Amino acid sequence: MAAMASSEPAPRAELTDYETVRHWFAIAADRLGIRDDVAAVLRTPYREVRVQVPVKLADGRIHVFSGYRVQHNGARGPYKGGIRFHPSVDLDEVRALAELMTWKTAIVGIPYGGAKGGVDVDPSRLSPRELQTVSRSFLNKVEKVLGPTRDIPAPDVGTNAQVMAWLMDEYGKHHGHTPACVTGKPIALEGSYGREAATGRGVVFMFREAAPLVDLIPAETSFAVQGFGNVGSWAARLMQQLGARMVAASDASGAIHHEAGIDAERLAAHVAEGATLAELPGVEPIPPEDLLGVECDVLIPAALGGMINADNADRVRCKLVVEGANSPTTPAADRILGDKGVFVVPDVMANAGGVVVSYFEWVQNLQHFRWDEREVNDRLGRIMRKAFREVHARSHSTGTALREAAFELGIERVLEAAILRGYIE
Ligand code: GLU
């Protein structure tokens, strides 16, 4: 097995999301020669808020959820990052995701720090009214640390434009109408054109940059999507517009395969009607764990963290992985993919399209002005291409993978800002 050929000690098979971020940070900080005391400042979150979210649900009982907002680093600007509603949410996960936002915003060069929030609730088990109650209750507990010049939430797994509308409305009760306090809002409530598709669109911009490096021609490319949700389904639809063919997809309901190609538009419409992937006519249902092993050119993990791990990475049979999710690949899996010659565009650059268009939304809100979708998409493309070229140039000159180069670039920029502010000498 190729993975055994390397002489480096293998990392522990399964790291938590937080240990995974720690792993990549430590490698980059070491390569950059950052002193231990300075590294400690950079890796430690600035503020961690943990709150009780008691909500009376339709069953008449009070359910106590836990809510979090972690502000990791604000040297480059206000804290920025999504809010996740998922049963797996805990402080460790939110901390990891907050730190990823710090490096992500620095890598793409937008003027923000990094944050993340979440509630350990399963939104699929709540009625719209209950979901609204949870959203407003959470906002009330954390609003003191938020604001357009302090910390700006956005959607993440399990939240969407509707949830952002409730958060904006609740924030407005305390501070007056403040659309720039949250991004990813509905178009009708000062959201930005292009925000909903932005993360998926960014993934496809990154694919287009990486394709020539692995001898792929977009119109002749086959791909598989793990996690056909917001990010995955937009990435799939936009890949299809380039002429690429989706051969497999999965979500929480299961996985499907069809060598001749699954119409991404049709699948998105089918899912929007509430049907499961396997109910799409003409596709073959496959066990979800087989999705990673489907032969294709490009794999787009767009689900949760740790999905590509030491137990399954060896099954991957593609040339290119573009990480739409945050932390989808554990360090052990990353090593296996590297040994197999799979080129990986890492999360901290590949999925940055969402926060880039969040930045555009915030800018538009602050100016009380709206750009059209073409302007948003063109600007997004310019930022994503620049980030790819900068990270790729660095990886080329230092002989590292894109992930190491991206972390180095992000950490270097945050360090520079911290020094300029006088936080670090
Ligand atoms: N949740 C998204 C991310 O992980 C978007 C964050 C934002 O737009 O602030 O990048």
Side-chain angles (χ1 to χ4, degrees):
M1 189 172 77
M4 304 300 281
S6 170
S7 56
E8 281 174 59
R12 268 200 292 138
E14 299 302 345
L15 302 184
T16 66
D17 282 7
Y18 190 60
E19 288 168 332
T20 294
V21 181
R22 290 273 50 77
H23 174 87
W24 298 121
F25 175 87
I27 291 175
D30 193 45
R31 286 181 56 91
L32 291 169
I34 295 177
R35 290 194 331 247
D36 286 355
D37 57 334
V38 172
V41 176
L42 292 176
R43 69 170 174 257
T44 312
Y46 168 75
R47 179 189 273 143
E48 300 183 341
V49 181
R50 178 188 182 140
V51 296
Q52 183 197 47
V53 186
V55 183
K56 192 168 181 185
L57 297 183
D59 61 9
R61 295 174 59 83
I62 301 170
H63 293 247
V64 182
F65 300 107
S66 292
Y68 307 88
R69 186 71 181 171
V70 174
Q71 298 172 333
H72 175 259
N73 185 295
R76 298 184 61 264
Y79 301 99
K80 185 84 188 82
I83 293 184
R84 178 173 291 198
F85 285 178
H86 192 275
S88 74
V89 165
D90 60 19
L91 186 55
D92 193 67
E93 184 181 274
V94 177
R95 214 183 247 158
L97 294 165
E99 181 172 339
L100 282 180
M101 292 307 300
T102 297
W103 314 133
K104 193 186 299 186
T105 53
I107 291 161
V108 292
I110 56 173
Y112 287 133
K116 202 76 166 202
V119 179
D120 61 351
V121 64
D122 181 353
S124 69
R125 299 172 71 106
L126 298 185
S127 68
R129 180 162 292 280
E130 290 170 332
L131 190 59
Q132 178 170 175
T133 309
V134 170
S135 306
R136 289 184 187 276
S137 172
F138 172 65
L139 190 284
N140 277 310
K141 297 288 169 58
V142 296
E143 61 76 26
K144 284 191 179 54
V145 300
L146 303 180
T149 60
R150 296 186 182 282
D151 182 355
I152 305 122
D156 196 76
V157 175
T159 58
N160 56 19
Q162 174 61 78
V163 173
M164 299 305 116
W166 292 325
L167 298 182
M168 178 188 79
D169 185 70
E170 202 61 30
Y171 185 87
K173 291 179 185 167
H174 298 270
H175 304 276
H177 179 57
T178 316
C181 75
V182 44
T183 59
K185 300 180 295 294
I187 298 295
L189 281 178
E190 300 183 61
S192 176
Y193 290 114
R195 176 61 184 84
E196 196 199 313
T199 311
R201 191 177 295 278
V203 164
V204 176
F205 279 128
M206 289 303 189
F207 158 70
R208 286 167 70 172
E209 294 304 301
L213 304 175
V214 288
D215 296 323
L216 287 177
I217 296 165
E220 295 167 11
T221 296
S222 61
F223 66 97
V225 174
Q226 182 194 51
F228 197 81
N230 172 276
V231 177
S233 71
W234 278 109
R237 281 177 268 182
L238 295 164
M239 288 289 284
Q240 192 165 287
Q241 282 180 16
L242 299 177
R245 174 172 50 99
M246 179 163 72
V247 294
S250 70
D251 70 5
S253 75
I256 54 176
H257 179 225
H258 189 49
E259 188 49 38
I262 304 163
D263 184 341
E265 289 290 350
R266 206 167 138 230
L267 186 61
H270 172 83
V271 170
E273 283 166 11
T276 63
L277 298 187
E279 284 164 356
L280 188 79
V283 300
E284 177 205 348
I286 56 170
E289 61 276 15
D290 287 357
L291 181 112
L292 287 181
V294 168
E295 194 161 347
C296 59
D297 298 314
V298 184
L299 174 65
I300 302 175
L304 295 168
M307 300 296 265
I308 308 177
N309 50 54
D311 294 336
N312 61 23
D314 204 40
R315 298 183 65 188
V316 171
R317 286 193 290 163
C318 66
K319 287 182 163 177
L320 174 63
V321 171
V322 188
E323 295 183 344
N326 286 312
S327 271
T329 311
T330 64
D334 194 73
R335 232 167 74 97
I336 295 170
L337 296 182
D339 289 344
K340 283 163 76 90
V342 178
F343 192 83
V344 179
V345 186
D347 51 3
V348 281
M349 56 197 287
N351 70 34
V355 73
V356 169
V357 177
S358 276
Y359 165 54
F360 298 159
E361 183 172 328
W362 180 76
V363 165
Q364 293 169 79
N365 292 156
L366 293 176
Q367 297 179 343
H368 302 284
F369 188 75
R370 181 170 265 171
W371 306 345
D372 63 23
E373 184 166 353
R374 171 176 286 201
E375 175 152 17
V376 170
N377 293 345
D378 286 352
R379 285 178 184 270
L380 171 64
R382 288 206 286 279
I383 289 184
M384 297 303 280
R385 283 191 290 273
K386 181 165 180 274
F388 187 92
R389 284 172 196 161
E390 285 175 352
V391 174
H392 182 245
R394 185 173 190 123
S395 89
H396 194 68
S397 69
T398 56
T400 57
L402 287 188
R403 195 186 311 272
E404 278 91 336
F407 267 76
E408 286 174 27
L409 191 70
I411 293 168
E412 209 169 66
R413 288 179 176 167
V414 173
L415 179 60
E416 185 187 6
I419 291 170
L420 286 168
R421 281 182 188 258
Y423 295 165
I424 292 171
E425 281 169 14

